[in-house]
Amino acid sequence: MGVRAGVVVCVTSFLLGSLFTHWIADSLTLWKSPVTDEHLWTAATYYSILAKAPTEALWFLGAVVTTGAITILWSLRDGEAGNIMFDGGSIFCLPAYVMIAPVDPPSSGVFAKFDTLPMHQPQDPFPRSLRTITLELASNNLICSVALTGVLALQAGRFWAESSDAEDDEFEDNETEGAPSRAKTPDPRSVEKISPSKS
């Protein structure tokens, strides 16, 4: 695996890890039935904590995404079939994270909705204005996770394809090197038997 493919895999793994940390909140709104007000308050409280995180942390996350996208585009410039097939597929998956995930500063975007979460008790009714946003945010995280898993699958396919090509090239080289030695070996059936001359 080349350096560029390694960078893409590391960036994708980092982003997947950051999404998996949201499972604390998303599992309550995606995989619980029915979704109660207590579940929604727990998820909203979690995202309220993230909304108060330093802006630099979110800008760092955006820089990581940009690094992965630039690396894939750089690899596409080579014009090789493997790059176009696997990196070309990856470049369609990574923008799903860029467009859907809330990587913008907390002063704007989705996180701003949770920045001023009202005081509440778990049994209090959940605000309807936050219900849709909370459910959509969990769905977006799931979509991004699937997209980034697709990037890892494509890069694994690229590694497998490059390994197969390398093995084929090595086999052909060995065949080429062994051909002259076999040509020098006389075929016993082609050697004429010379009978001893009678004296």
Side-chain angles (χ1 to χ4, degrees):
M1 181 180 294
V3 176
R4 287 174 290 186
V7 171
V8 173
V9 170
C10 290
V11 167
T12 305
S13 301
F14 176 82
L15 296 177
L16 272 174
S18 67
L19 287 173
F20 288 160
T21 60
H22 303 331
W23 181 253
I24 301 171
D26 296 343
S27 62
L28 299 175
T29 55
L30 285 178
W31 308 108
K32 296 287 185 179
S33 181
V35 178
T36 63
D37 288 338
E38 184 178 357
H39 294 159
L40 292 171
W41 277 122
T42 303
T45 303
Y46 171 80
Y47 287 116
S48 177
I49 296 172
L50 289 184
K52 296 179 175 66
T55 306
E56 291 77 8
L58 295 176
W59 282 115
F60 173 77
L61 191 61
V64 171
V65 175
T66 304
T67 301
I70 291 174
T71 305
I72 293 176
L73 290 173
W74 180 23
S75 182
L76 285 175
R77 287 186 58 191
D78 294 346
E80 297 180 1
N83 293 346
I84 295 175
M85 181 184 300
F86 298 110
D87 289 346
S90 299
I91 201 64
F92 283 103
C93 295
L94 195 58
Y97 184 91
V98 178
M99 293 184 294
I100 297 175
V103 296
D104 51 340
S107 59
S108 61
V110 177
F111 278 168
K113 305 294 184 181
F114 299 96
D115 196 17
T116 56
L117 194 67
M119 298 295 295
H120 63 277
Q121 297 294 329
Q123 65 273 13
D124 293 341
F126 193 77
R128 296 184 62 87
S129 59
L130 285 178
R131 182 183 180 89
T132 302
I133 297 173
T134 304
L135 295 175
E136 286 182 355
L137 187 56
S139 300
N140 291 348
N141 288 335
L142 179 61
I143 294 171
C144 292
S145 299
V146 173
L148 293 177
T149 303
V151 174
L152 289 181
L154 287 167
Q155 294 303 318
R158 174 184 177 180
F159 176 72
W160 174 80
E162 290 179 351
S163 300
S164 299
D165 290 343
E167 291 177 359
D168 292 341
D169 293 341
E170 183 180 355
F171 179 77
E172 291 177 359
D173 292 341
N174 292 337
E175 287 289 313
T176 305
E177 292 176 358
S181 61
R182 289 197 300 270
K184 294 179 181 178
T185 304
D187 188 353
R189 291 174 295 182
S190 64
V191 177
E192 297 181 358
K193 297 181 179 180
I194 303 175
S195 58
S197 58
K198 295 182 180 181
S199 55

